[in-house]
Amino acid sequence: MRYVSTRGEVPPLSFTEAVATGLAPDGGLYIPEKLPYLAPFFPQWEKLSYTELAQAFFRVFANDIDAEVLNGHIADAYSRFDHPQIAPLHRLDEQTQVLELFHGPTLAFKDFALQLLGNLYALQIERTEEPINILGATSGDTGAAAIHGLLNKPGVRSFILYPEGGVSALQERQMTCTGADNVHPIAIRGSFDDAQRIIKQIFGDLEFRRTYRLSAVNSINLARILAQCVYYLYAWFRLTDAERRDLEFVVPTGNFGNVLAGWLMHRMGMPVKRFRIATNQNDILHRLFSTGEYRQEPVLKSVAPSMDIQIASNFERFLYYHEKGESRRVRELVEAFQTKGAVAFEQFDADIFTSSSADDATIAQLIREVDSRYGYLMDPHTACGFAGWDKPCHRVVLSTAHPAKFPDTIEAAVGRKPRSESLDSLMDKEIRKVVLEADTETIRNYIQANAETSN
Ligand SMILES: *Cc1c(COP(=O)(O)O)cnc(C)c1O
């Protein structure tokens, strides 16, 4: 299988190369040259455990890695989850189930991708005997998950930018209290979008990028999207025929990464009626899917900070399919958006997507309502998925974080704090981070001074 850039100006790569590269040199994102049709495998795959399913799935996409080696890395990645099913479904009632994606080491769904990606980087370093420096921007959970996926791996250093004061205290502790020497959390005086802009600019400097063997870990990495496809299929296998016929996946999303994975799985043969894009008050995706206009607005801080995003990086992958694989159109649209901050589509085809948004008050209300009806505490991101949930259909709401990651919001809503032992144990550890200006040159200098190099 080969992977092409959405902007079509660079040659196709193998899986391993595309993963190591991250952002394509033409600024685009890697996608499979041709999406495989996987439905014929389903009868064999249906009974597999989560890990076995991930192994079977990746054998299709990562066919330039020895199958035994790949299986070992996948088994290792999911061995650090604390639930035997890895991604269990929790039933609330006849209609609604919650797919719990928070049983990994940092208690958020990003562990699914980043535990595996960390192992893929290690594999790459073994092969090439060259170090890798990982550069990422985070609004909270990505950074923690990335750092934990790469913790103490030889030859890897991680530089993770996040908005100072823009992530929860616990998220910050997950990033800064690891005690590991290969971790560089950088708090910038700016927003998440500033962090992403800086990362893009640094990656745009091809010389610098080559010299320091920089790779991206944010949701633009191909491996992340593919790793996320697996839990959709795993959940789908566990539904009844009646549920499958009338199925809505509800996906809290900001960067379009999580929901894109589900939609790709659908394109590869998993029948689904609808995907609902559930945003917080930063509703650029909701506005796009309800009006056909993609317009950037200022980022507003919300109680669901991992979705405080106004530029959905992964949207470009959807755009590629929306424009029927015409890279030239993708480039035009991306450029128009970059210069004007808005694109109005003449005919926007929402495909099987619907959308909703929830402001902070609604999130609190929904947390309370679900708690009092079912005794089930959910985190504020997951709560966005419950906006408009009274409409009848079978739905699976993806729960993207453990409620204990956001204790203050939960306490304000229901009057008690959710607990998690692994988070409690962070509170007496030492914080190690640097605070820098939101300025590309400053960040570049810092990386230069601290990067892992071959000699
Ligand atoms: C990252 C994150 C999201 C949004 O994921 P996307 O990649 O933007 O789809 C939602 N909830 C939590 C808890 C997250 O960490």
Side-chain angles (χ1 to χ4, degrees):
M1 170 107 35
R2 299 197 309 165
Y3 297 87
V4 296
S5 163
T6 47
R7 300 199 192 166
E9 296 191 299
V10 289
L13 297 179
S14 71
F15 175 80
T16 310
E17 292 165 335
V19 169
T21 308
L23 187 70
D26 61 1
L29 308 184
Y30 286 104
I31 46 169
E33 191 165 42
K34 187 170 182 300
L35 281 182
Y37 186 63
L38 300 176
F41 293 117
F42 288 2
Q44 283 159 265
W45 287 4
E46 189 146 16
K47 296 274 158 9
L48 299 179
S49 70
Y50 191 90
T51 301
E52 290 165 340
L53 180 62
Q55 290 168 336
F57 180 84
F58 271 94
R59 225 166 288 145
V60 177
F61 290 92
N63 55 357
D64 64 336
I65 302 178
D66 176 80
E68 289 277 303
V69 171
L70 181 65
N71 285 350
H73 280 295
I74 292 173
D76 178 73
Y78 296 111
S79 69
R80 286 180 286 274
F81 282 58
D82 70 1
H83 193 287
Q85 284 179 40
I86 314 289
L89 278 168
H90 180 100
R91 184 178 286 285
L92 294 183
D93 60 23
E94 272 301 287
Q95 290 188 23
T96 306
Q97 299 185 72
V98 177
L99 180 62
E100 294 185 343
L101 302 177
F102 52 71
H103 294 283
T106 70
L107 313 188
F109 90 98
K110 296 191 173 75
D111 289 325
F112 278 86
L114 290 169
Q115 284 293 314
L116 180 59
L117 190 60
N119 285 1
L120 293 175
Y121 282 129
L123 190 62
Q124 172 78 357
I125 291 167
E126 265 167 48
R127 267 192 185 181
T128 60
E129 301 187 357
E130 295 270 9
I132 298 183
N133 291 290
I134 301 298
L135 183 54
T138 185
S139 50
D141 292 324
T142 312
I147 284 168
H148 284 262
L150 298 166
L151 218 51
N152 296 319
K153 292 214 187 323
V156 191
R157 232 156 239 273
S158 45
F159 296 88
I160 303 295
L161 273 59
Y162 64 95
E164 168 80 340
V167 304
S168 83
L170 276 169
Q171 286 175 323
E172 183 169 44
R173 284 192 166 265
Q174 285 185 317
M175 292 191 276
T176 59
C177 297
T178 64
D181 289 331
N182 69 336
V183 170
H184 294 267
I186 304 174
I188 61 156
R189 298 196 179 96
S191 69
F192 172 68
D193 287 341
D194 291 328
Q196 263 198 333
R197 175 179 49 76
I198 292 171
I199 301 277
K200 283 214 167 182
Q201 281 171 353
I202 293 179
F203 275 115
D205 181 345
L206 297 188
E207 177 65 36
F208 187 80
R209 182 172 159 184
R210 247 192 311 275
T211 309
Y212 291 97
R213 301 188 54 78
L214 292 183
S215 192
V217 77
N218 39 339
S219 55
I220 58 186
N221 197 293
L222 167 77
R224 287 190 57 181
I225 299 297
L226 292 176
Q228 291 169 192
C229 291
V230 178
Y231 51 69
Y232 283 94
L233 191 56
Y234 182 76
W236 189 82
F237 283 150
R238 273 146 196 83
L239 303 177
T240 63
D241 286 340
E243 287 167 339
R244 288 179 190 174
R245 271 196 298 278
D246 175 34
L247 176 64
E248 176 176 271
F249 272 110
V250 184
V251 190
T253 194
N255 244 321
F256 207 73
N258 199 358
V259 75
L260 176 79
W263 183 76
L264 289 176
M265 200 57 240
H266 166 68
R267 300 263 303 208
M268 294 188 282
M270 180 185 75
V272 170
K273 197 162 174 186
R274 261 190 315 276
F275 286 96
R276 181 146 57 79
I277 295 164
T279 72
N280 63 23
Q281 60 190 347
N282 295 292
D283 59 351
I284 182 170
L285 290 171
H286 174 51
R287 284 181 283 113
L288 170 68
F289 281 86
S290 47
T291 69
E293 191 189 32
Y294 191 54
R295 171 180 293 279
Q296 191 182 356
E297 301 283 350
V299 179
L300 302 173
K301 271 194 192 183
S302 81
V303 296
S306 298
M307 306 195 317
D308 287 350
I309 292 167
Q310 282 283 346
I311 305 173
S313 328
N314 266 295
F315 179 63
E316 183 166 335
R317 286 189 164 105
F318 174 70
L319 203 54
Y320 176 88
Y321 295 100
H322 190 267
E323 299 304 315
K324 312 210 163 28
E326 272 192 56
S327 298
R328 193 181 46 80
R329 276 291 292 159
V330 174
R331 291 199 299 273
E332 281 169 12
L333 289 164
V334 170
E335 257 164 50
F337 180 71
Q338 278 168 354
T339 48
K340 292 187 226 131
V343 176
F345 289 82
E346 267 164 41
Q347 278 183 322
F348 186 78
D349 176 6
D351 199 78
I352 57 169
F353 290 106
T354 60
S355 63
S356 61
S357 83
D359 61 16
D360 283 2
T362 308
I363 289 173
Q365 167 63 29
L366 290 166
I367 292 173
R368 213 162 22 244
E369 204 175 307
V370 168
D371 178 48
S372 73
R373 247 158 96 173
Y374 304 105
Y376 187 76
L377 269 188
M378 59 185 177
D379 100 290
H381 303 81
T382 308
C384 294
F386 282 77
W389 68 307
D390 40 0
K391 296 195 195 77
C393 75
H394 290 109
R395 64 173 68 79
V396 171
V397 182
L398 274 61
S399 177
T400 53
H402 191 289
K405 287 195 91 166
F406 304 94
D408 300 339
T409 304
I410 306 288
E411 188 178 32
V414 300
R416 64 185 197 279
K417 267 192 187 180
R419 295 288 292 273
S420 137
E421 275 174 36
S422 76
L423 292 179
D424 286 349
S425 73
L426 284 175
M427 292 323 287
D428 36 61
K429 294 194 177 142
E430 182 202 352
I431 291 184
R432 270 160 55 182
K433 66 168 183 179
V434 291
V435 183
L436 298 176
E437 289 307 317
D439 161 62
T440 307
E441 211 37 52
T442 308
I443 307 298
R444 198 199 312 257
N445 291 340
Y446 182 82
I447 294 170
Q448 208 156 354
N450 293 285
E452 182 92 24
T453 51
S454 356
N455 37 36

